[in-house]
Amino acid sequence: MNAGRFLSLEGGEGAGKSTQARALAAALEARGLETVVTREPGGSEGAEAIRALLMQGDAGRWSARTEALLFAAARADHVERVIRPALAAGRWVICDRYLDSSRAYQGSAGQVEDAAILALHAFGAEGLLPDRTFLLALPADIGAARAAGRDGHAADRFAARDTGFHAAVAAAFDGFAAREPARFRRIDAAQPPATVTQAMLDALADWLP
Ligand code: TMP
């Protein structure tokens, strides 16, 4: 049995992560690989319950520190109940957001120290990192316009934040990708969707059958 691989998709609002996660899974399945598409916050029963706490209510419902704890708790359950078992069964896990979203949103944009977020992750999820992380990069203003068109007035606690917050998130992701080139592949998400999917496949060529 082939070893499973753990892939995460990251980026700001409206970058097309969910669509691309499904498209990448379909392309990998066409090559005979078994995939699991999942998301954060959420992806397991317990983590979806925590997601509801995180996404609903006004923007100030939780402080960035409390958010960091809730996201880490959700991630711990998701990793233990869904991600590790899937990898152990040889499946490819494609996760729509993961640890780097905590580092960008609660960390850089929310001013929680990166070391604190990594310490929570070391405890909660025993430090599990993706084998490869795709940053779907899009200027924050274009992403916000796309997300607004998609979500209408039902924007969640995060999408409702101001442009300065989303610009800080985008800059944080760019910084992670630049500092961790072995794990990250930065992809221009303004390209046509099929081009974005192909760019991810090209970046996995070394692992594909
Ligand atoms: P999404 O399902 O539309 O991607 O929404 C999830 C929101 O939660 C998004 O605005 C990013 C935010 N988020 C964090 O702030 N920290 C995290 O660790 C994760 C996974 C998501």
Side-chain angles (χ1 to χ4, degrees):
M1 185 173 66
N2 289 327
R5 299 275 183 186
F6 180 19
L7 312 175
S8 65
L9 274 60
E10 296 280 9
E13 318 297 316
K17 293 178 297 301
S18 312
T19 309
Q20 288 299 331
R22 288 192 297 271
L24 180 60
L28 295 176
E29 296 264 347
R31 285 166 175 73
L33 299 167
E34 278 188 61
T35 65
V36 173
V37 177
T38 188
R39 68 163 181 184
E40 291 205 346
S44 63
E45 194 182 334
E48 290 289 338
I50 297 173
R51 179 186 174 95
L53 292 174
L54 279 161
M55 304 301 284
Q56 294 162 13
D58 59 48
R61 182 181 188 187
W62 309 111
S63 73
R65 277 174 190 274
T66 310
E67 275 175 9
L69 288 160
L70 288 169
F71 279 111
R75 187 163 299 124
D77 191 69
H78 185 210
V79 165
E80 189 176 339
R81 308 280 174 106
V82 173
I83 297 178
R84 283 197 195 272
L87 294 172
R91 302 198 172 94
W92 286 50
V93 174
I94 302 169
C95 194
D96 178 354
R97 294 193 184 279
Y98 189 67
L99 172 68
D100 300 299
S101 281
S102 287
R103 299 173 69 202
Y105 284 78
Q106 286 68 53
S108 299
Q111 297 181 332
V112 176
E113 312 77 50
D114 196 44
I117 291 175
L118 293 175
L120 293 178
H121 187 61
F123 174 71
E126 296 177 283
L128 181 70
L129 287 179
D131 296 301
R132 193 145 289 162
T133 296
F134 295 109
L135 170 55
L136 303 190
L138 196 65
D141 52 342
I142 298 178
R146 277 197 200 174
R150 179 191 64 198
D151 300 337
H153 294 294
D156 59 53
R157 289 183 57 246
F158 296 92
R161 293 193 183 169
D162 64 16
T163 49
F165 182 88
H166 292 291
V169 165
F173 280 128
D174 282 341
F176 303 153
R179 287 195 298 277
E180 297 175 60
R183 176 161 69 89
F184 274 89
R185 297 291 182 273
R186 188 180 190 281
I187 294 173
D188 175 7
Q191 301 177 98
T195 309
V196 173
T197 311
Q198 189 58 49
M200 292 193 290
L201 285 171
D202 291 347
L204 295 172
D206 43 340
W207 294 336
L208 292 179

